[in-house]
Amino acid sequence: MLTLRSIHLYPIKSCAGLSMPTADVAALGLAGDRRWMLVDAAGKFVTQRNYPAMATLVATPNLVGLTLSAPGRASCEVAKPADDAPRITVTVWKSTLQLPVAEDSVNAWCSRTLGHPVRLVYLDDEAARAQTSSYAKAGDVVSLADGFPILITNTASLVALNAAMDM
């Protein structure tokens, strides 16, 4: 028997995750998962490997977009970009996309929070991202996740990983 222990949603790629009681599954993965991403001045995606403070940036979905929060900072409201919002060229792994960018005030808030200049972009329905894995079939799409729409692990693997890290 298989028991689902937890569901985690990451509204912004590589930022803090949210524990969810339920989730809807869509073609791109869990609804609302990794549809937003922070990029540097060159449009390249950034992760906690670059900026560990991303782990403290919490993005909570709301009716119009997200509410961003971080320790010691006032929250920031982010609306999904309008259809006519400016788009910038971004790269995430092997994918190059034209994505709408958040408002300047949001980008300033994110940049101050991380201590580095970044911009927040959104993967809208216009910008489908093809899977690049050799395991993917023609027409398979993914959000801004690293490789696949849904990532699953099991408790035994996590226990083994934690044991190996204790060395």
Side-chain angles (χ1 to χ4, degrees), residues 97-164:
L97 303 161
Q98 294 290 317
L99 298 183
V101 64
E103 295 178 1
D104 290 344
S105 60
V106 171
N107 295 322
W109 187 95
C110 292
S111 295
R112 283 190 305 273
T113 299
L114 298 183
H116 298 278
V118 293
R119 290 179 285 177
L120 184 64
V121 296
Y122 178 69
L123 181 70
D124 59 3
D125 294 334
E126 233 179 84
R129 179 176 172 230
Q131 283 187 0
T132 57
S133 167
S134 59
Y135 296 105
K137 293 180 264 177
D140 284 352
V141 293
V142 65
S143 66
L144 297 167
D146 285 353
F148 296 94
I150 297 177
L151 304 174
I152 299 173
T153 190
N154 61 52
T155 305
S157 294
L158 293 173
V159 168
L161 177 62
N162 285 330

Side-chain angles (χ1 to χ4, degrees), residues 72-101:
R73 303 203 37 83
S75 63
C76 176
E77 298 298 322
V78 183
K80 287 182 186 174
D83 292 340
D84 61 348
R87 290 178 178 267
I88 60 172
T89 301
V90 303
T91 56
V92 54
W93 299 116
K94 296 178 183 177
S95 300
T96 300
L97 303 161
Q98 294 290 317
L99 298 183
V101 64

Side-chain angles (χ1 to χ4, degrees), residues 11-59:
I12 300 177
K13 177 180 182 61
S14 203
C15 288
L18 304 174
S19 181
M20 306 296 290
T22 63
D24 292 327
V25 177
L28 296 178
L30 299 181
D33 188 56
R34 287 169 254 238
R35 295 293 294 261
W36 298 84
M37 177 174 71
L38 290 165
V39 298
D40 63 17
K44 184 174 188 269
F45 77 106
V46 297
T47 70
Q48 289 181 31
R49 290 180 292 274
N50 310 104
Y51 306 124
M54 289 176 73
T56 67
L57 198 159
V58 176

